[in-house]
C-alpha cells in the first residue's frame, strides 16, 4: 500500500508539472505572441493596460476598506459587534435591512432553561478520514460546552466498503448517547451526507463541521446568541490552521486563512452586513437550512448554499471569535487539487447566480455591489491581472515602451495593490495575536512568497476555467494525515 501511494504521488506531481508548463504557455506565452503581432500591425494595448490597472485599483480599494474596518474594530475599547457600517453611513432602506445588528455583548453562560436543542453534524468520507474521525468526535463530545440533554452529535458519513473503524465508532456511540451514527448508503458527496443528516436532526440550531475540525468550547454559546435575536439565520465562524508547524506550505496556508477569515470575511461583515458559509464551522437556523439544503451537483456546495440562502432572504453574519482548528494540505499536489475544485466551484456559482443577485430585492446596494464584485472576481481577476507580464514582454520585444502617463498609472496601481496586501497581512498578524499567536516569521515568509503564491493561484484559476469549459468535474478528496503533532486543541484560554 505505501508503494502504491508513492506511485500515485509521483504521478500526481508529474501531472501537476505538465499542467504548470501548459498553463503558463496559455496564460503568458500565447498572449505575449498575440500582443506582439497586434503591436507590429500598428495596434495598441492601451485599453487592456487601463483595464488591468483598473482591476488593480479596485482590488486595492476593497482590501483597504475591509482591512480598515477590521483595524477600526480591533482598536475599540470593547468588542464591537456592529454590522453594516456602509449602510449606516448611506442611511439606505433601513426598513428592509437593519444596519445596527448587534451580537453577543457578553459570553455569560446561558441558563439551562433557555438553551435550545442543538444538532452538530460532522461530515466524513471514511476511507480518507478514518484516521482522524475518532479524535474529532472525542474533541466535540468532551470540549464543546452545551447541556448534553439538549445536544446531539450526528456523524454523517459514506464509505464504499465496510471498515474496521466503524466498530470503534459504534463503541464510542454506545458510551456516548449524544452521538448518532448515520452511514449514508449510496452517497458520493458531502452534500448528500448533509441532506441525510438534516432528515434526522432535531436541533433548533444545526452546526456543521468537517471531519478534521476541532471547535472551541464556546462555539455554540456564541452562535446561539446571534441566532436567538432573530436577525440572522446563519453564523460563520473563523477557521484557523492547527498543523501550521508541519512545513513551509502549511505555514503559508495558516497565514492565508488569517487574511481570509480574520480580515476579509470579517471586514466584509462589518462593512456591508453580509457573509458566506465556508463549508464548516457554520451555525444554521435549522428551519432555514432545511429550506436551502445542499446540491450534490455543485463542486462547492457551501458557496452555492450561501447564494441560494441570501437569495431567499436569509441573513448571514461572520463572527471571528467563533474558532475552530483544521488541517491544511501538506503538499503542493494536494493543495492544487483542493484549490482547483474551489476555483471551479466558485466559477459555477458565479455563472448560476450572478444575474439573480443583480436583480434580487433581498440585497441592498452595498451588498449587491459586494457580491457582484466577488462573483466577477472568481471569473476573471487572476487571468486578467497576470496579463501585465506578457504586455511588458511584448512591448520590449517590439521595441516599444509604455507612455510615461500609462507607466506611472500602472506603477501606482500596482504599488497600491501591493501595499494594501501588506496592510492586510499586518492586520491579520495583529488580529491573530489576540486569539492564538502565530510566529511572526510565518507572516514574513508569506509576505516574501506572496507574489509566487499569487502566481500559483492564478494558474489554478486558469486550469479551473479550462476544466469548466471542457466539461471536466473532478473531485479529489483532500488527503488527511494523522500525527500526534496535529492532535492539539485550542488553547484553554480560548474556552
Amino acid at each position: 500500500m505505501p508503494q502504491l501511494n508513492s506511485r500515485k504521488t509521483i504521478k500526481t506531481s508529474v501531472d501537476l508539472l505538465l499542467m504548470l508548463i501548459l498553463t503558463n504557455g496559455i496564460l503568458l506565452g500565447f498572449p505575449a505572441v498575440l500582443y506582439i503581432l497586434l503591436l507590429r500591425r500598428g495596434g495598441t494595448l492601451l485599453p487592456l493596460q487601463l483595464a488591468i490597472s483598473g482591476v488593480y485599483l479596485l482590488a486595492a480599494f476593497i482590501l483597504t476598506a475591509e482591512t480598515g474596518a477590521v483595524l477600526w474594530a480591533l482598536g475599540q475599547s470593547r468588542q464591537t459587534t456592529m454590522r453594516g457600517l456602509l449602510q449606516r453611513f448611506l442611511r439606505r432602506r433601513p426598513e428592509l435591512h437593519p444596519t445596527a445588528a448587534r451580537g453577543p455583548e457578553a459570553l455569560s453562560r446561558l441558563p439551562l432553561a433557555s438553551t435550545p436543542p442543538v444538532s452538530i453534524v460532522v461530515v466524513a468520507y471514511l476511507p480518507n478520514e478514518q484516521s482522524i474521525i475518532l479524535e474529532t468526535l472525542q474533541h466535540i463530545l468532551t470540549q464543546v460546552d452545551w447541556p448534553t440533554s439538549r445536544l446531539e452529535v450526528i456523524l454523517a458519513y459514506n464509505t464504499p466498503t465496510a471498515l474496521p473503524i466503524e466498530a470503534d465508532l459504534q463503541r464510542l456511540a454506545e458510551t456516548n448517547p449524544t452521538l448518532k451514527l448515520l452511514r449514508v448508503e449510496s452517497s458520493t458527496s458531502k452534500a448528500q451526507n448533509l441532506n441525510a443528516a438534516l432528515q434526522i436532526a432535531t436541533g433548533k440550531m444545526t452546526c456543521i463541521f468537517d471531519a478534521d475540525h476541532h471547535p472551541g468550547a464556546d462555539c455554540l454559546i456564541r452562535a446561539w446568541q446571534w441566532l436567538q435575536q432573530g436577525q440572522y439565520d446563519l453564523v460563520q465562524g473563523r477557521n484557523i490552521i492547527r498543523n501550521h508547524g508541519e512545513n513551509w506550505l502549511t505555514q503559508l496556508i495558516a497565514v492565508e486563512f488569517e487574511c481570509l477569515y480574520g480580515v476579509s470575511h470579517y471586514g466584509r461583515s462589518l462593512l456591508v452586513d453580509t457573509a458566506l458559509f465556508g463549508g464548516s464551522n457554520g451555525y444554521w437556523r435549522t428551519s432555514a437550512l432545511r429550506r436551502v439544503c445542499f446540491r450534490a451537483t455543485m463542486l462547492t456546495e457551501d458557496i452555492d448554499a450561501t447564494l441560494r440562502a441570501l437569495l431567499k432572504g436569509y441573513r448571514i453574519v461572520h463572527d471571528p471569535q467563533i474558532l475552530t482548528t483544521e488541517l491544511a494540505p501538506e503538499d503542493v499536489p494536494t493543495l492544487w487539487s483542493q484549490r482547483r475544485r474551489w476555483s471551479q466551484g466558485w466559477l459555477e456559482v458565479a455563472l448560476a447566480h450572478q444575474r439573480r443577485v443583480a436583480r434580487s430585492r433581498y440585497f441592498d446596494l452595498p451588498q449587491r455591489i459586494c457580491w457582484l464584485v466577488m462573483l466577477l472576481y472568481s471569473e476573471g481577476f487572476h487571468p486578467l491581472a497576470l496579463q501585465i507580464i506578457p504586455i511588458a514582454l511584448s512591448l520590449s520585444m517590439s521595441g516599444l515602451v509604455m507612455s510615461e502617463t500609462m507607466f506611472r498609472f500602472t506603477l501606482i496601481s500596482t504599488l497600491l495593490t501591493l501595499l494594501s496586501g501588506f496592510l492586510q497581512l499586518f492586520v491579520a498578524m495583529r488580529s491573530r495575536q489576540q486569539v492564538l499567536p502565530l510566529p511572526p516569521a510565518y507572516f514574513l515568509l508569506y509576505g516574501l512568497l506572496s507574489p509566487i503564491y499569487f502566481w500559483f493561484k492564478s494558474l489554478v484559476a486558469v486550469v479551473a476555467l479550462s476544466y469548466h469549459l471542457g466539461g471536466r468535474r473532478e473531485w479529489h478528496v483532500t488527503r488527511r494525515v494523522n500525527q500526534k503533532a496535529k492532535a492539539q486543541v485550542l488553547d484553554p484560554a480560548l474556552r
Side-chain angles (χ1 to χ4, degrees), residues 120-123 129 132-133 135-140 144 190 208-216 236-242 257 261 278-283 322-328 338 342 480 486 488-490:
I120 294 179
V121 178
V122 180
V123 196
E129 295 168 323
I132 62 174
I133 190 59
E135 176 184 288
T136 295
L137 291 174
Q138 288 168 344
H139 174 95
I140 291 174
V144 174
K190 175 181 176 180
I208 297 174
F209 294 105
D210 286 340
D212 61 320
H213 278 242
H214 293 180
Q236 174 62 48
R238 175 178 177 177
N239 300 353
I240 62 179
I241 301 299
R242 72 172 176 274
F257 267 51
Y261 284 92
S280 186
N281 199 24
Y283 306 78
I322 301 179
L323 302 175
T324 183
T325 66
E326 65 172 287
L327 300 177
Q338 181 193 68
W342 288 4
R480 305 296 188 192
K486 303 178 185 67
Q488 56 183 313
V489 299
L490 288 171

Side-chain angles (χ1 to χ4, degrees), residues 342-395:
W342 288 4
S343 184
Q344 188 175 354
W346 265 97
L347 177 60
E348 287 181 345
V349 171
L351 295 175
H353 299 300
Q354 198 162 259
R355 291 184 180 180
R356 297 178 62 200
V357 169
R359 298 192 302 261
S360 175
R361 66 186 179 90
Y362 292 114
F363 294 87
D364 60 26
L365 181 61
Q367 292 167 343
R368 193 186 316 278
I369 293 174
C370 172
W371 273 104
L372 287 176
V373 168
M374 281 199 293
L375 295 175
L376 287 170
Y377 180 99
S378 69
E379 293 177 278
F381 175 78
H382 285 283
L384 180 61
L386 278 186
Q387 290 310 296
I388 194 67
I389 298 175
I391 285 176
L393 182 63
S394 62
L395 287 172

Side-chain angles (χ1 to χ4, degrees), residues 80-120:
T80 301
T81 55
M82 184 182 298
R83 297 297 189 271
L85 296 176
L86 279 180
Q87 287 96 328
R88 289 179 61 84
F89 177 76
L90 297 173
R91 297 182 179 179
R92 294 289 182 87
R93 302 179 67 178
E95 72 282 357
L96 287 180
H97 292 284
T99 56
R102 293 195 171 271
E105 295 295 339
L107 286 180
S108 58
R109 294 182 182 275
L110 295 172
L112 179 62
S114 65
T115 54
V118 169
S119 300
I120 294 179

Side-chain angles (χ1 to χ4, degrees), residues 267-285:
R268 193 178 305 125
S269 186
L270 289 169
L271 285 172
V272 297
D273 195 15
T274 192
L276 57 81
F277 170 52
S280 186
N281 199 24
Y283 306 78
W284 290 78
R285 195 181 306 280

Side-chain angles (χ1 to χ4, degrees), residues 174-308:
E174 290 172 357
T175 58
N176 291 272
T178 302
L179 178 61
K180 297 180 180 179
L181 304 179
L182 176 62
R183 177 172 175 173
V184 186
E185 302 296 342
S186 73
S187 171
T188 58
S189 69
K190 175 181 176 180
Q192 289 172 303
N193 291 350
L194 285 170
N195 290 337
L198 277 176
Q199 301 301 313
I200 66 171
T202 60
K204 192 172 182 180
M205 178 173 72
T206 296
C207 322
I208 297 174
F209 294 105
D210 286 340
D212 61 320
H213 278 242
H214 293 180
D218 63 353
C219 63
L220 300 183
I221 297 172
R222 290 197 64 94
W224 178 245
Q225 286 180 325
W226 280 103
L227 295 186
Q228 71 176 346
Q229 301 171 77
Q231 186 166 4
Y232 294 102
D233 305 283
L234 166 61
V235 185
Q236 174 62 48
R238 175 178 177 177
N239 300 353
I240 62 179
I241 301 299
R242 72 172 176 274
N243 64 329
H244 52 77
E246 193 64 29
N247 55 43
W248 65 271
L249 183 61
T250 57
Q251 293 175 16
L252 283 181
I253 298 172
V255 175
E256 179 191 27
F257 267 51
E258 293 309 311
C259 292
L260 286 174
Y261 284 92
V263 180
S264 285
H265 294 340
Y266 184 30
R268 193 178 305 125
S269 186
L270 289 169
L271 285 172
V272 297
D273 195 15
T274 192
L276 57 81
F277 170 52
S280 186
N281 199 24
Y283 306 78
W284 290 78
R285 195 181 306 280
T286 305
S287 58
L289 183 55
R290 283 203 172 106
R291 188 179 172 201
V292 173
C293 288
F294 296 95
R295 298 200 295 188
T297 56
M298 305 298 287
L299 284 172
T300 49
E301 76 293 324
D302 48 359
I303 307 302
D304 174 66
T306 295
L307 267 297
R308 289 188 294 108

Side-chain angles (χ1 to χ4, degrees), residues 18-33 459 462:
L18 293 175
M19 185 66 72
L20 288 175
I21 295 173
L22 178 62
T23 305
N24 272 296
I26 296 173
L27 186 63
L28 304 178
F30 177 73
V33 173
L459 296 182
V462 174

Side-chain angles (χ1 to χ4, degrees), residues 45-111:
L45 299 177
L46 183 60
L48 182 58
Q49 290 173 277
L50 289 172
I52 293 172
S53 296
V55 166
Y56 282 4
L57 287 175
L58 178 61
F61 174 79
I62 293 173
L63 277 178
T64 303
E66 293 172 346
T67 304
V70 174
L71 189 61
W72 169 80
L74 292 175
Q76 300 301 300
S77 58
R78 62 181 178 84
Q79 182 184 346
T80 301
T81 55
M82 184 182 298
R83 297 297 189 271
L85 296 176
L86 279 180
Q87 287 96 328
R88 289 179 61 84
F89 177 76
L90 297 173
R91 297 182 179 179
R92 294 289 182 87
R93 302 179 67 178
E95 72 282 357
L96 287 180
H97 292 284
T99 56
R102 293 195 171 271
E105 295 295 339
L107 286 180
S108 58
R109 294 182 182 275
L110 295 172

